[in-house]
Amino acid sequence: MASVVEYKGLKDGYHCGYCDSEEGKVSCGMWAHSLTVQDYQDLIDRGWRRSGKYVYKPVMNQTCCPQYTIRCLSLQFQPSKSHKKVLKKMSKFLAKGEISKGNCDDEPMEPTMEDAVAGDVALINKLDIQCDLKTLKESLEGEEKKKGKSSKKAESNEVIQSQDTEEKLGPGEPSHSIEVHTVPKPGKGADLSKPPCRKAKEIRKERKRLKLMQQNPAGEFEGFQAQREPLSLFPPKAKSNQPKSLEDLLFESLPENAPHKLEVRVVRSSPPSSQFKATMLESYQVYKRYQMVIHKQPPDKPTVSQFTRFLCSSPLEAEHPPNAPDCGYGSFHQQYWLDGKIIAVGVIDILPHCVSSVYLYYDPDYSFLSLGVYSALREIAFTRQLHEKTPELSYYYMGFYIHSCPKMKYKGHYRPSDLLCPETYVWVPIEQCLPSLENSKYCRFNQDPDAVDEGRSKEPDRLQVFHKRAVMPYGVYRRQRKAPAEEAAVLQYAGLVGQACSERMLLFRS
């Protein structure tokens, strides 16, 4: 299994969705017919990023808004005060139905997927002739036209079907119901013949731990689910002098009569699993409302075709090596189900060393829950969970950090985090990068003036070419073709992907 890519070269002078410049954006791009997860891991570690099957890399020293790859060190992450505030807001809503009256001005908002690759949309549309989900897309479009009075019934059947299939994977979230602890009547003093009193929180945690152990006597969880809480996250005794962990805050016990229930389900989007197919129409409706309300798009613009092309199609191959997470590697949708309906979807890639966030869309009716921040915290916790099975997987990639764009600076609040040096491709703690970014949009973060890109292309003749159904080194292809004009583009491609990827990936040439 090899990656097959088609390099499209440099695109400049087009609209930027971050600063609204009409001609300031500059990037290089390629169409990925297929990508192994290791190749994509290596590409994003060199500043590439995907939108559907189109993979692009900003030309950092030329583009109007330099976009630096950012990763969070999930194992060392501690939620900030503002993060805790969002988690508390969600907990109060689930437990009591309370709706916060605070504004959501700090809510992160990515540009539309089309804005992210603005100048290449026409190219993507042209290349996307053989979409993996074409048949599914057509059936959905037909289904939407027929949608009438029976829509509610169809949606309820979809949810039930999805829940039935998910049960085969294991329930989405440990039950929040718990036996209510009755407070004893005040006595005349401590009875030394009885065990010492414990805090109610410790008793609740112990009961929950016992309940989980009864449900899983061997400590094993069948299947896979994002919401699953590892038993190791519940130590027998919580030290009061230590701050609550992210998991403690996320999975706080709720009362039996809680008015709301939240479940998080992970479904493979490419190739589409049965759960994904069963819920895709409902997921699309959430995306459509998000684009119309949050990004002010007209009703006819967020089509099923657009949704499929940018958020469902993926070049990543589904891989299940022995050391991989239970779900395997590849592209997934992380669905947030509130009381039986989808309210948000996080599009993610699970790679050998990281969980990479692609996009988030949510139902605007639930903006008060700050779902952008909440989903990022859930994805960090998810990364930590996957790390337990796959130790090499420990980073949470948040896409691009754009210091010059106020709406995109929120990504720097997830600490500790690193930015990728655009010249040497080494990771540098963000604290060391910020002073330089205050003075200049474009910066080389590596302070060693003699450091170079260790993964650079050194032997371009070893680059692999796929031409006329044959695979050959570029050196052989070049001697056969003798086309000097083509050589510049191939060498540019080799320099951008690096030596290792150029030798593994197949560069398609017509």
Side-chain angles (χ1 to χ4, degrees):
M1 180 172 60
S3 301
V4 180
V5 298
E6 196 169 347
Y7 185 60
K8 295 298 173 182
L10 185 143
K11 307 287 178 185
D12 61 356
Y14 59 90
H15 177 260
C16 174
Y18 300 106
C19 68
D20 212 28
S21 165
E22 287 301 322
E23 299 181 344
K25 197 161 187 178
V26 185
S27 71
C28 294
M30 58 186 176
W31 184 256
H33 295 276
S34 65
L35 276 179
T36 66
V37 291
Q38 185 59 59
D39 284 341
Y40 187 53
Q41 176 73 67
D42 290 348
L43 286 173
I44 62 175
D45 284 337
R46 293 184 63 84
W48 292 82
R49 181 164 166 78
R50 78 173 184 89
S51 176
K53 290 190 171 186
Y54 186 72
V55 189
Y56 62 101
K57 184 183 190 311
V59 180
M60 299 290 282
N61 59 351
Q62 297 180 36
T63 192
C64 55
C65 296
Q67 302 161 61
Y68 299 93
T69 303
I70 182 170
R71 71 178 186 183
C72 173
L73 284 66
S74 70
L75 304 185
Q76 288 82 44
F77 173 79
Q78 283 293 335
S80 66
K81 285 184 179 179
S82 63
H83 295 151
K84 290 177 182 177
K85 189 175 178 181
V86 169
L87 295 175
K88 189 174 182 181
K89 180 165 53 176
M90 175 65 83
S91 182
K92 282 186 176 181
F93 174 71
L94 296 176
K96 304 175 184 178
E98 289 185 12
I99 297 178
S100 172
K101 294 181 181 179
N103 60 46
C104 299
D105 292 341
D106 61 339
E107 178 72 349
M109 184 179 74
E110 296 273 6
T112 65
M113 292 299 288
E114 285 187 313
D115 279 343
V117 290
D120 298 310
V121 171
L123 174 65
I124 294 170
N125 292 342
K126 184 179 178 181
L127 292 171
D128 194 30
I129 297 170
Q130 296 178 332
C131 174
D132 286 343
L133 301 178
K134 186 178 179 183
T135 305
L136 179 59
K137 178 177 68 179
E138 289 173 351
S139 66
L140 282 172
E141 286 173 339
E143 190 173 342
E144 190 154 358
K145 289 177 183 177
K146 296 175 185 176
K147 197 174 179 184
K149 295 181 181 179
S150 61
S151 61
K152 289 185 178 179
K153 183 178 178 183
E155 286 180 13
S156 63
N157 288 341
E158 270 191 331
V159 171
I160 293 168
Q161 181 185 359
S162 174
Q163 287 172 340
D164 289 344
T165 51
E166 286 295 327
E167 282 173 6
K168 296 176 184 176
L169 298 174
E173 180 175 5
S175 173
H176 282 305
S177 61
I178 189 166
E179 186 179 343
V180 179
H181 177 64
T182 307
V183 180
K185 294 179 181 179
K188 295 182 179 180
D191 185 350
L192 299 178
S193 65
K194 295 181 179 179
C197 294
R198 292 182 297 162
K199 289 184 178 180
K201 185 171 73 172
E202 287 185 17
I203 295 171
R204 288 198 301 270
K205 281 193 174 185
E206 184 171 336
R207 285 182 177 171
K208 189 167 184 180
R209 188 172 66 253
L210 290 171
K211 186 174 181 180
L212 286 170
M213 290 176 69
Q214 288 171 359
Q215 292 173 352
N216 300 275
E220 297 175 352
F221 296 98
E222 294 182 5
F224 170 81
Q225 196 51 276
Q227 186 79 5
R228 177 66 69 187
E229 298 177 47
L231 294 180
S232 60
L233 296 176
F234 295 88
K237 291 184 180 179
K239 294 182 180 179
S240 57
N241 62 340
Q242 289 186 349
K244 283 186 176 181
S245 71
L246 174 60
E247 287 76 13
D248 288 334
L249 295 166
L250 278 170
F251 305 121
E252 213 165 36
S253 296
L254 298 178
E256 277 187 15
N257 59 345
H260 300 291
K261 181 184 179 184
L262 178 70
E263 291 180 288
V264 178
R265 305 175 187 174
V266 171
V267 295
R268 184 177 288 279
S269 55
S270 180
S273 65
S274 58
Q275 297 94 335
F276 179 81
K277 291 178 182 178
T279 58
M280 185 176 172
L281 182 58
E282 184 176 352
S283 182
Y284 162 68
Q285 294 295 346
V286 175
Y287 167 77
K288 184 175 182 178
R289 291 205 64 231
Y290 174 79
Q291 295 297 100
M292 289 168 57
V293 177
I294 303 299
H295 289 295
K296 313 300 181 187
Q297 288 192 349
D300 60 335
K301 191 171 182 182
T303 61
V304 172
S305 176
Q306 180 206 53
F307 172 68
T308 301
R309 184 166 57 250
F310 287 106
L311 298 175
C312 302
S313 294
S314 170
L316 298 185
E317 302 286 348
E319 299 180 34
H320 296 83
N323 61 335
D326 293 335
C327 60
Y329 296 124
S331 298
F332 299 83
H333 279 198
Q334 194 165 22
Q335 302 172 336
Y336 293 77
W337 290 77
L338 180 69
D339 304 330
K341 72 172 185 177
I342 298 175
I343 64 163
V345 177
V347 182
I348 59 173
D349 293 328
I350 300 177
L351 304 173
H353 297 145
C354 73
V355 169
S356 175
S357 176
V358 178
Y359 201 66
L360 173 85
Y361 54 94
Y362 56 84
D363 187 333
D365 289 346
Y366 295 91
S367 294
F368 64 89
L369 290 174
S370 299
L371 291 169
V373 175
Y374 182 78
S375 65
L377 296 173
R378 289 301 298 251
E379 288 172 5
I380 291 172
F382 181 42
T383 305
R384 285 150 67 134
Q385 180 190 337
L386 297 181
H387 171 77
E388 293 196 351
K389 168 74 187 297
T390 308
E392 299 82 13
L393 198 164
S394 61
Y395 297 104
Y396 173 57
Y397 283 45
M398 295 177 279
F400 289 137
Y401 174 80
I402 306 172
H403 192 75
S404 57
C405 178
K407 282 272 185 187
M408 299 299 291
K409 290 171 74 171
Y410 74 92
K411 295 182 181 182
H413 299 157
Y414 297 83
R415 303 284 180 93
S417 57
D418 301 326
L419 296 184
L420 186 67
C421 176
E423 294 182 10
T424 61
Y425 301 112
V426 297
W427 295 98
V428 180
I430 192 170
E431 294 86 355
Q432 297 178 25
C433 305
L434 294 179
S436 300
L437 288 171
E438 286 295 322
N439 297 322
S440 173
K441 285 184 179 181
Y442 173 75
C443 300
R444 171 192 166 111
F445 299 136
N446 192 329
Q447 297 301 307
D448 180 359
D450 298 323
V452 296
D453 170 18
E454 296 295 340
R456 67 189 182 281
S457 174
K458 301 171 186 175
E459 300 177 78
D461 279 358
R462 296 181 61 178
L463 179 152
Q464 295 297 297
V465 174
F466 183 52
H467 176 61
K468 292 185 177 179
R469 299 184 181 181
V471 177
M472 65 189 77
Y474 176 64
V476 174
Y477 171 82
R478 180 166 50 85
R479 288 192 292 272
Q480 289 181 0
R481 293 274 290 188
K482 296 181 180 179
E486 188 180 31
E487 187 170 358
V490 174
L491 293 179
Q492 184 183 62
Y493 158 82
L496 294 173
V497 303
Q499 186 68 35
C501 279
S502 71
E503 289 188 38
R504 290 196 308 257
M505 301 194 306
L506 304 182
L507 176 63
F508 175 79
R509 307 306 288 175
S510 57

